[in-house]
Amino acid sequence: QKSYEQIEQLMEEIMRQQNERRKSELDALQSQINPHFLYNTLETIRMKAVVNHQPEIVELVKMLAKTMRYNIQVTDRLVTLKEELQMVEYYLKIQEYRFGDRIKSELIIDPEVDGKAYILPLTIQPFVENAFVHGLEQKENDGRLTVHVHRKEQEIYIEIKDNGCGMDYYELGRLRKTRRDESGDDMHIGVRNVSQRIRILYGSEYGVEVDSTRDLGTKVLIHIPYQTENPQNVEFIR
């Protein structure tokens, strides 16, 4: 026969589990906002801005909607370099509206780079975003970010370079270590994710290299093969 204390503990445990289940159900519902609702809302905002003759808001909302659609719709297909760089350009322009002259960015694509070459989706943007969030946002002025895409024979190199706060030797070591294990915060997880996807698809000779110096900035180099034909039945992790 169970004591009163045991019954009370059992009731408390049941109540705790019910509360956790309700919270999980609520979280699931909150995460299921239909993307079409977001697109339609943005389109409403854009049209209001058109009516009120606010071209900057029109352009900003347009770029944000396209960026959101791209991030949601890309799955396990390769995209063209032109598509990927278009999203990077939209992201940089949105940040330009946000920071003004405080942070200046530049996208450089060498003439020999064919925009029809194929690339894994969401390969470049995570590092551009990291440059702002972890490097440049803290700078009060004269922030600079450069995305440079160049080709060397049958390989493509994408360099993302900033003059932000950078990382010291130990931080950089932890970041590099994420290519070999499952540790790390959101920034590290993003680096590992992109690097692993590249290595799985193309081989261990390709991937991501990161170099950084405290108070001077960070440079990320993405190295992939130059492919103008889309390989069939591509499978990779996102």
Side-chain angles (χ1 to χ4, degrees), residues 21 32 53 55 71 97 118 131 138 147 168 173 183 231 236:
R21 187 173 67 252
Q32 290 174 1
H53 307 289
N71 277 266
Y97 277 106
Y118 286 97
Q138 300 177 37
V147 180
D168 61 29
S183 65
F236 54 88

Side-chain angles (χ1 to χ4, degrees), residues 18-35:
Q18 287 179 340
N19 288 334
E20 288 183 355
R21 187 173 67 252
R22 290 194 189 99
K23 184 178 184 303
S24 296
E25 291 171 351
L26 180 60
D27 289 343
L29 286 172
Q30 290 174 334
S31 68
Q32 290 174 1
I33 297 175
N34 193 322

Side-chain angles (χ1 to χ4, degrees), residues 133-160:
V133 175
H134 299 286
L136 292 167
E137 284 187 355
Q138 300 177 37
K139 288 186 72 70
E140 295 182 359
N141 54 62
D142 196 31
R144 295 187 303 277
L145 172 70
T146 303
V147 180
H148 182 199
V149 185
H150 60 98
R151 175 185 171 187
K152 185 177 180 181
E153 297 180 349
Q154 294 304 306
E155 297 178 323
I156 291 178
Y157 294 86
I158 303 160
E159 181 183 274
I160 301 105

Side-chain angles (χ1 to χ4, degrees), residues 177-231:
K177 185 174 181 289
T178 61
R179 291 176 298 181
R180 300 188 299 274
D181 60 28
E182 299 297 317
S183 65
D185 56 23
D186 289 343
M187 176 186 176
H188 295 174
I189 291 171
V191 171
R192 184 183 70 240
N193 182 271
V194 173
S195 186
Q196 285 183 346
R197 288 165 63 211
I198 290 174
R199 290 171 185 268
I200 287 172
L201 181 60
Y202 301 123
S204 59
E205 66 268 37
Y206 299 101
V208 179
E209 295 295 332
V210 182
D211 193 17
S212 187
T213 304
R214 171 61 69 187
D215 298 325
L216 292 180
T218 300
K219 182 176 76 173
V220 174
L221 187 64
I222 302 169
H223 177 205
I224 60 174
Y226 181 78
Q227 291 185 328
T228 54
E229 294 184 3
N230 191 355

Side-chain angles (χ1 to χ4, degrees), residues 110-124:
D110 284 2
E112 65 271 18
V113 175
D114 188 349
K116 295 179 181 179
Y118 286 97
I119 186 174
L120 287 165
L122 302 177
T123 296
I124 307 172

